[in-house]
Amino acid sequence: MTITKRQLPKFLLFAKNPTLSGRLMLIGLAMTLVFIFLAFFSPVFQNWGWLQNPKEFLSNPIHQPPTATHWFGTSRLGYDVFSRTIFGAQAALQVVILATVLSMTVGVPLGMVSGYLGGRLDKVLLFLMDSIYTLPGLLLSVTLAFVVGRGILNAAIAISIAYIPQYYRVVRNHTISVKTEVYIEAAQAMGASNWVILSRYLFFNVIQSVPVIFTLNSADAILVLGGLGFLGLGLPEDVPEWGYDLKQALEALPTGIWWTTLFPGLAMTLMVVGLSLLGEGLNEFVDPRLRRQNRK
């Protein structure tokens, strides 16, 4: 008995015969997994002696170029740049995951309720979300960071507010198109409550595009966190963070100290590129029309 292509799971078929975007998605997935691995195991590597404590600097020479002892060199305070770069992935992932989960947790239910119930509630929420959406994300995050202060959770809250309207708008539009389907009308005719319809019939139909938004927002959140750190509004100074390290490094760049700027900036760039490629590939996987266009 042979299995036809139609019987294969859609993702396996997509992975077996990927388009260019599919191949780039796999590259982005590999890049993202590398950073997740480094962030998760950085404390283990520190205990093994492979990484130095990123908060220790007194015993290190200042502004030493890359050597066998300090692979990425040292900073103006004597920090080991390699250890700071690896541990910076940990802080970035913590803030990014918290920020995107918070915005998704708020935006998805609001979009479903607004699109399904409609009426005055829909108009009020739509006006509120459009008002937030018109503000530049970095400017809004900077303003909120002034209010909530520094810290991983505070930075995540400041960043997450800007992403709520994106989840809301996409889920609301999908809900409006799905709620007119026959099975929704049948459930209403049988007396199903709004909660049952939203949770059982609508949720799994409108949630398909959320992973795409999640990955793209994650990439953007890394840049926003870097901006907050560069302005001194992100994480505490003793927490390794790429944006803050770049701020400290730029002061020495005109004197030829290039390594303290290159490696944190390169790590941030690679992580953003990996998440962006992953998000674009997921977008093609979710939308069959894009797959057909890319195969032509």
Side-chain angles (χ1 to χ4, degrees):
M1 179 179 179
T2 58
I3 300 177
T4 64
K5 287 187 176 181
R6 291 185 179 181
Q7 293 172 313
L8 288 172
K10 185 169 62 172
F11 182 77
L12 293 179
L13 181 60
F14 179 68
K16 183 179 179 180
N17 187 25
T19 62
L20 176 60
S21 297
R23 297 186 186 97
L24 293 177
M25 182 188 72
L26 296 178
I27 295 174
L29 177 61
M31 295 170 64
T32 303
L33 289 177
V34 168
F35 280 100
I36 293 175
F37 174 82
L38 293 175
F40 186 79
F41 286 100
S42 53
V44 178
F45 296 147
Q46 179 185 339
N47 294 334
W48 288 352
W50 187 54
L51 287 179
Q52 186 179 344
N53 188 334
K55 301 178 183 180
E56 292 180 356
F57 58 89
L58 295 177
S59 60
N60 295 331
I62 296 174
H63 278 163
Q64 183 185 54
T67 62
T69 304
H70 303 284
W71 294 357
F72 290 177
T74 60
S75 67
R76 68 181 183 89
L77 296 177
Y79 288 121
D80 181 62
V81 178
F82 180 69
S83 298
R84 298 277 299 185
T85 302
I86 298 300
F87 274 90
Q90 185 183 70
L93 281 175
Q94 288 176 345
V95 174
V96 165
I97 290 175
L98 279 174
T100 48
V101 168
L102 284 173
S103 56
M104 179 176 62
T105 303
V106 176
V108 171
L110 286 181
M112 290 178 58
V113 172
S114 179
Y116 180 71
L117 297 181
R120 184 174 300 178
L121 176 64
D122 180 51
K123 294 180 180 179
V124 172
L125 288 175
L126 187 60
F127 174 78
L128 177 62
M129 294 300 168
D130 285 346
S131 300
I132 298 175
Y133 191 73
T134 56
L135 299 174
L138 179 58
L139 178 60
L140 180 60
S141 299
V142 169
T143 305
L144 293 174
F146 272 113
V147 178
V148 299
R150 289 182 172 187
I152 290 179
L153 180 59
N154 292 341
I157 293 173
I159 295 173
S160 65
I161 302 300
Y163 300 137
I164 293 176
Q166 298 183 30
Y167 291 97
Y168 168 84
R169 290 159 64 97
V170 171
V171 172
R172 174 185 176 271
N173 292 339
H174 284 189
T175 302
I176 291 175
S177 62
V178 170
K179 73 176 184 179
T180 57
E181 296 290 338
V182 176
Y183 61 91
I184 299 294
E185 296 178 352
Q188 292 172 339
M190 295 176 63
S193 64
N194 290 336
W195 167 253
V196 171
I197 294 175
L198 288 171
S199 60
R200 182 175 298 180
Y201 299 103
L202 281 175
F203 178 77
F204 293 103
N205 286 283
V206 303
I207 204 69
Q208 296 180 4
S209 58
V210 168
V212 179
I213 308 174
F214 184 90
T215 52
L216 295 178
N217 282 350
S218 298
D220 187 68
I222 293 174
L223 296 176
V224 175
L225 176 63
L228 293 180
F230 191 85
L231 296 173
L233 299 173
L235 306 182
E237 295 180 0
D238 61 339
V239 178
E241 196 273 313
W242 294 329
Y244 178 78
D245 287 350
L246 284 174
K247 174 187 177 183
Q248 299 296 318
L250 284 178
E251 299 177 3
L253 186 60
T255 63
I257 311 299
W258 53 268
W259 54 89
T260 54
T261 304
L262 174 64
F263 295 112
L266 186 61
M268 183 186 300
T269 301
L270 290 176
M271 193 169 183
V272 170
V273 170
L275 286 169
S276 299
L277 292 177
L278 180 59
E280 292 297 335
L282 285 175
N283 190 28
E284 180 186 331
F285 171 68
V286 171
D287 192 344
R289 293 172 298 179
L290 294 177
R291 292 203 301 274
R292 288 195 295 268
Q293 293 174 2
N294 291 333
R295 291 185 190 278
K296 291 181 179 179

